[in-house]
Amino acid sequence: MTHSLLVRLATSRAVLRVAPHVLPRCDLFIHRLTRGRLLPSRLVLDTIVLGTIGHRSGTPRATPLAAHRAADGTWLVVGSNFGRPAHPAWSTNLLHHPHATVTARGRSWQVGARQLTAREKEQQRDRILLALPFYDTYAARAGRDIRVFCLTPVAAPRAPREP
């Protein structure tokens, strides 16, 4: 369980002002440098890198996200966007192109994405809080219905490619 000090820190105004600009870039830099084996955010939360296709550009996008993996192999990801009013781009990409890639601990999976309904979000509340312990604070701050997706593997994991 996440410590209450971490929750207070992660929801402070200073962190919420800086984190959306710094954390993803830092995570992606280290992730690339270690060939997918390390994500700094994993020290705090279970984190994956979600690979999507830009719905307008068609360009591949990589986004580090807090996630919860269930025993059945599915991941739950929350489109909180650090509690900002706009939906994150990756969630819009998934709505238009529900096929994506999850990379975690040096392995990659092809996944199919499905947005949870309001009822499913109620049923999955425990998993949502495992993925993002500050969900309630972010939801109140965002003032919008936060998108939550279930990512289901469609193929066996692949080992990372060696250069």
Side-chain angles (χ1 to χ4, degrees):
M1 197 72 179
T2 304
H3 192 275
S4 63
L5 178 62
L6 173 64
V7 172
R8 278 190 288 160
L9 179 65
T11 57
S12 71
R13 286 186 182 178
V15 169
L16 290 174
R17 203 170 285 148
V18 175
H21 307 288
V22 175
L23 289 180
R25 287 184 178 124
C26 179
D27 274 340
L28 288 176
F29 176 75
I30 298 296
H31 188 259
R32 286 184 188 119
L33 191 66
T34 63
R35 296 187 185 133
R37 290 181 184 88
L38 181 64
L39 275 170
S41 292
R42 282 195 63 81
L43 298 172
V44 179
L45 294 170
D46 195 12
T47 306
I48 63 168
V49 173
L50 179 68
T52 60
I53 300 296
H55 80 281
R56 288 186 188 155
S57 67
T59 305
R61 305 288 184 197
T63 309
L65 298 172
H68 177 260
R69 187 168 190 201
D72 65 0
T74 62
W75 284 271
L76 208 60
V77 291
V78 180
S80 67
N81 204 14
F82 292 91
R84 295 185 289 184
H87 290 290
W90 65 263
S91 72
T92 303
N93 293 344
L94 285 181
L95 292 175
H96 291 274
H97 303 284
H99 301 287
T101 304
V102 166
T103 303
R105 298 182 184 197
R107 300 274 184 201
S108 293
W109 291 262
Q110 295 297 314
V111 295
R114 184 180 62 79
Q115 184 178 2
L116 299 186
T117 64
R119 182 181 174 119
E120 288 172 319
K121 286 197 307 189
E122 288 175 25
Q123 293 170 341
Q124 295 291 327
R125 180 159 172 76
D126 290 342
R127 277 187 74 193
I128 290 170
L129 292 174
L130 286 171
L132 192 66
F134 7 96
Y135 172 81
D136 293 329
T137 303
Y138 283 3
R141 186 173 188 265
R144 62 177 165 82
D145 183 41
I146 291 180
R147 295 172 180 161
V148 178
F149 291 86
C150 180
L151 307 175
T152 304
V154 294
R158 295 184 319 231
R161 289 181 283 176
E162 294 297 323

